[in-house]
Amino acid sequence: MSFTVIIPARLASTRLPNKPLADLGGKPMVVRVAERARDSGAARVIVATDHADILAACEAHGVEACMTRADHESGSDRIAEVAAKIGLAPDAVVVNLQGDEPLIDPALLAACAARISADVPMATCAHPIVDVADVFNPNVVKVVLDKAGRALYFSRATIPWHRDGFAASREALPPGYAPLRHIGLYAYSNAFLQAYPKLEPAPLERIEALEQLRVLWHGYPIAVHVTASAPPAGVDTPEDLARVRLQFAS
């Protein structure tokens, strides 16, 4: 399947200032992310940014970049602007890859894009949870699927709740119980991507603080590609940056 990867990258970051330009083995992080995206087989990789410094860094390393408005509320809004600017067809598939994922598995991008179809305009990814602490951690977002591999619901709560297993103990995962952790990678048909920012926020979205619930609330299906294991963590903190720098120094 042909798809375009668009990487939203803002310079402002509360926990890690100038994060997209952080050096990883001699190249800015956003460039490293774009290189991973290229390895996915994407037809085109574009960085969507609101800052001239990021644009210049991309251009210096041969990475296509596009300036956007500075007032976007989310990354999906930002990539929608770029998809419209470059004239993608309504049925084109767009992958939204965050600019702080320099270790992302390129195959995961292609697998997510492949879940888009005529009747499924949005896709994402998940992996089985193996640590019981993650099951009860509200910062770990869970997803439950139907038999077709589409999302029934996303939640910070423990879903599905293993009634009998957790009644006996919450110290270990019950046998055969494999809840899924949501991975924040998304693909869309361009037609849906353009419509998505115009959808009214949903009550469930506000309660859970999970934007993807807006899609389910309005009746659109989300396909979920399940991968066997968790992808490497992204970069949110100085400690994360130090960990990832070791990967590029070896």
Side-chain angles (χ1 to χ4, degrees):
M1 169 181 283
S2 177
F3 61 95
T4 297
V5 177
I6 304 181
I7 303 166
R10 295 174 62 248
L11 199 63
S13 174
T14 303
R15 288 181 288 184
L16 193 58
N18 301 329
K19 180 166 65 171
L21 299 179
D23 181 83
L24 295 179
K27 295 180 182 179
M29 185 189 309
V30 68
V31 171
R32 293 293 190 183
V33 175
E35 290 175 342
R36 300 292 280 188
R38 285 173 176 168
D39 290 341
S40 71
R44 193 171 179 181
V45 176
I46 307 170
V47 172
T49 185
D50 63 353
H51 202 284
D53 288 354
I54 295 177
L55 181 72
C58 290
E59 291 177 344
H61 289 87
V63 172
E64 184 177 3
C66 181
M67 288 293 291
T68 69
R69 302 198 323 264
D71 59 349
H72 287 302
E73 294 184 3
S74 69
S76 54
D77 294 342
R78 193 173 306 283
I79 71 168
E81 179 187 345
V82 172
K85 275 187 174 180
I86 66 175
L88 289 181
D91 62 349
V93 176
V94 178
V95 173
N96 179 355
L97 173 60
Q98 297 303 307
D100 56 7
E101 298 280 354
L103 300 179
I104 191 75
D105 180 2
L108 196 60
L109 278 65
C112 187
R115 295 302 304 271
I116 300 297
S117 64
D119 59 343
V120 180
M122 182 170 170
T124 190
C125 301
H127 69 85
I129 296 174
V130 296
D131 186 341
V132 70
D134 287 340
V135 173
F136 299 103
N137 183 348
N139 294 317
V140 174
V141 178
K142 296 86 179 176
V143 58
V144 291
L145 312 182
D146 66 12
K147 66 178 183 179
R150 300 177 183 179
L152 289 170
Y153 192 65
F154 296 86
S155 183
R156 298 182 182 278
T158 305
I159 58 171
W161 180 263
H162 200 299
R163 187 195 64 173
D164 296 339
F166 291 145
S169 172
R170 298 187 190 180
E171 300 302 315
L173 296 178
Y177 176 64
L180 295 174
R181 179 177 187 166
H182 177 233
I183 299 169
L185 175 71
Y186 296 99
Y188 319 82
S189 71
N190 186 38
F192 181 70
L193 178 60
Q194 299 305 320
Y196 181 34
K198 302 179 181 67
L199 294 177
E200 287 293 322
L204 290 174
E205 170 191 357
R206 292 191 175 105
I207 292 170
E208 295 255 23
L210 297 174
E211 187 179 299
Q212 63 270 35
L213 288 174
R214 183 184 312 183
V215 179
L216 298 182
W217 174 266
H218 285 278
Y220 295 95
I222 302 175
V224 181
H225 169 74
V226 179
T227 186
S229 58
V235 178
D236 288 320
T237 66
E239 293 75 19
D240 293 335
L241 181 59
R243 168 182 52 81
V244 172
R245 277 178 168 158
L246 289 176
Q247 298 287 320
F248 285 94
S250 59

